[in-house]
Amino acid sequence: MKTPKLTDEDLNWIKENPKEFTEELIRKSELIKNFSDELEPYRKNNDRTGYNKLFKELLKKEEEKQWKKE
């Protein structure tokens, strides 16, 4: 059986702050749309480590771009 990735503390925060959670989820989803095509080859090849590494790098770059715009 898999262990949950969210801790009890995380779950409590989500329950207490549903609006902030959904806003952050929507924001991250929009960022991911910007680079999902670059991740497609990793997904098709079931290269989970390569996918995760590239995903983190691209998400960090997209977040930096967004912060510079604001």
Side-chain angles (χ1 to χ4, degrees):
M1 186 171 171
K2 290 186 177 182
T3 58
K5 293 187 179 196
L6 295 174
T7 64
D8 289 336
E9 185 178 305
D10 294 334
L11 293 172
N12 286 334
W13 184 86
I14 291 170
K15 289 176 185 176
E16 293 170 2
N17 304 290
K19 186 174 182 176
E20 290 87 353
F21 175 73
T22 55
E23 288 172 354
E24 184 67 13
L25 186 62
I26 291 168
R27 186 184 71 81
K28 294 254 181 168
S29 296
E30 290 172 358
L31 290 176
I32 292 168
K33 285 180 192 176
N34 294 338
F35 59 80
S36 61
D37 56 327
E38 296 177 42
L39 294 169
E40 190 67 15
Y42 292 96
R43 188 189 65 78
K44 285 184 178 177
N45 293 331
N46 292 325
D47 181 3
R48 198 67 189 160
T49 55
Y51 180 95
N52 287 338
K53 182 179 177 185
L54 183 60
F55 178 84
K56 289 177 185 176
E57 290 173 9
L58 293 171
L59 185 61
K60 185 177 178 181
K61 287 179 185 177
E62 287 294 322
E63 286 180 330
E64 288 173 359
K65 284 182 196 175
Q66 187 178 32
W67 289 116
K68 288 180 182 179
K69 288 180 182 178
E70 294 175 357

